[in-house]
């Protein structure tokens, strides 16, 4: 990330780091990286869903709700299934945590 800070997919690198922290149970750190990812230029709406999940897991209901509203304003049809189709994972425990977090905000 330091070598290419202007990379048009920089948001994806940040989002991957956020997701890694979520998998490791480091929810507060995940929220920091997810926020950076979702605020990056060109960030895909699915990156904002990472922010919803990370903030929900970190018990920051206000930020999670704000990102959920952002997602809905950009694509009101997105669901939890869309999230897992874009970000498949083998860990059932992680999938359950993220699924529950997104469900709390209507995804």
């Amino acid at each position: 990330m330091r070598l290419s800070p202007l990379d048009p997919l920089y948001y994806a690198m940040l989002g991957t780091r956020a997701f890694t922290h979520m998998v490791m149970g480091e929810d507060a750190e995940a929220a920091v990286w997810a926020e950076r990812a979702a605020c990056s230029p060109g960030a895909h709406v699915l990156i904002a869903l990472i922010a919803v999940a990370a903030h929900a897991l970190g018990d920051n209901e206000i930020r999670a709700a704000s990102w959920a509203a952002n997602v809905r304003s950009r694509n009101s049809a997105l669901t939890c299934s869309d999230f897992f189709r874009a970000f498949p994972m083998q860990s059932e425990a992680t999938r359950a945590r993220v699924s529950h977090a997104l469900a709390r905000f209507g995804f």
Side-chain angles (χ1 to χ4, degrees), residues 12-24:
M13 291 180 251
L14 296 170
T16 300
R17 183 144 183 195
F19 206 84
T20 300
H21 286 292
M22 278 196 295
V23 169
M24 294 171 43

Side-chain angles (χ1 to χ4, degrees), residues 3-92:
L3 293 174
S4 187
L6 300 178
D7 189 313
L9 296 176
Y10 187 63
Y11 67 85
M13 291 180 251
L14 296 170
T16 300
R17 183 144 183 195
F19 206 84
T20 300
H21 286 292
M22 278 196 295
V23 169
M24 294 171 43
E26 300 167 353
D27 299 327
E29 191 71 13
V32 170
W33 287 96
E35 188 83 16
R36 285 182 63 191
C39 288
S40 293
H44 192 277
V45 66
L46 289 168
I47 300 299
L49 268 179
I50 294 174
V52 174
H55 283 296
L57 291 170
D59 293 324
N60 188 337
E61 303 290 317
I62 293 170
R63 290 305 300 149
S66 176
W67 281 111
N70 175 281
V71 170
R72 285 191 189 90
S73 74
R74 294 165 65 188
N75 185 341
S76 62
L78 277 181
T79 66
C80 192
S81 295
D82 296 317
F83 181 89
F84 291 116
R85 204 170 11 266
F87 306 115
M89 59 191 74
Q90 291 183 339
S91 169
E92 286 300 321

